[in-house]
Amino acid sequence: THTTGWSIFDGPRLVRYGTFNTEIKDETARINAIKNWMLSMISNWDPDCVAIEGIQFQEESSGQKMSVTVFQGLARLQGVLMEACYALKVDFVVCPTNTWRNHCGVKGRYRADKKRSMQLIAKKEYDITVTDDEADAIGIGKYAADLNKIEVTNWE
């Protein structure tokens, strides 16, 4: 929840990408800062849909699993972002990690291997060199754009 990758697609075309970083120590204040940043992105870009990565326990190359505390923090962040989209009547889709990675052709056993694989895919597909957070955001956006995974919600 300290660094969040983002990407913007217009149909299949990658338009922009980057990261949002915060050093805020308090989790609630940090989640609020990320939410406010996302709201400003929605205001600036007026997206048809926001794709949010699903959360999952992750295995590190050391064989250790993500702590329950980290998982809970990510769950809280995901819920806040979903509710913010809902409140603005902006369609959103939660993209399961294994599903978008499979769609993009990500390989590797451990988290670090998968992140590096997505960076190489971004280089091959878009001829760009990106951080692992940017690469993941591009993969999520590509998945949502390629499969037209927008689950339209009738807000009336």
Side-chain angles (χ1 to χ4, degrees), residues 109-156:
R109 178 171 178 192
Y110 297 108
R111 181 175 180 261
D113 301 330
K114 292 173 185 174
K115 287 191 167 283
R116 181 66 184 140
S117 176
M118 188 61 225
Q119 287 176 292
L120 295 171
I121 291 166
K123 178 68 173 171
K124 180 180 175 185
E125 292 273 329
Y126 304 104
D127 195 27
I128 54 176
T129 301
V130 295
T131 67
D132 59 354
D133 291 311
E134 291 168 327
D136 284 355
I138 290 166
I140 294 161
K142 176 177 173 27
Y143 167 75
D146 285 355
L147 296 181
N148 197 19
K149 282 290 190 178
I150 300 170
E151 297 176 6
V152 177
T153 305
N154 184 355
W155 298 104
E156 298 176 307

Side-chain angles (χ1 to χ4, degrees), residues 77-92:
L77 173 61
Q78 183 182 62
V80 166
L81 298 181
M82 292 167 62
E83 193 285 326
C85 289
Y86 180 83
L88 286 177
K89 297 182 166 90
V90 172
D91 289 325
F92 66 90

Side-chain angles (χ1 to χ4, degrees), residues 1-2 22-34:
T1 62
H2 289 277
T22 179
E23 297 298 322
I24 298 171
K25 300 289 184 215
D26 178 72
E27 180 186 88
T28 303
R30 190 169 59 248
I31 288 172
N32 186 62
I34 294 168

Side-chain angles (χ1 to χ4, degrees), residues 37-105:
W37 164 79
M38 185 188 75
L39 293 175
S40 72
M41 292 291 285
I42 289 170
S43 176
N44 288 335
W45 290 94
D46 191 26
D48 295 328
C49 180
V50 173
I52 301 169
E53 184 175 26
I55 57 172
Q56 66 175 9
F57 277 114
Q58 300 171 4
E59 188 171 342
E60 303 294 335
S61 57
S62 64
Q64 291 185 332
K65 297 274 186 185
M66 167 194 298
S67 77
V68 171
T69 304
V70 171
F71 185 80
Q72 289 171 337
L74 292 173
R76 286 188 282 273
L77 173 61
Q78 183 182 62
V80 166
L81 298 181
M82 292 167 62
E83 193 285 326
C85 289
Y86 180 83
L88 286 177
K89 297 182 166 90
V90 172
D91 289 325
F92 66 90
V93 61
V94 177
C95 303
T97 305
N98 289 336
T99 304
W100 75 256
R101 281 181 173 161
N102 184 56
H103 175 77
C104 292

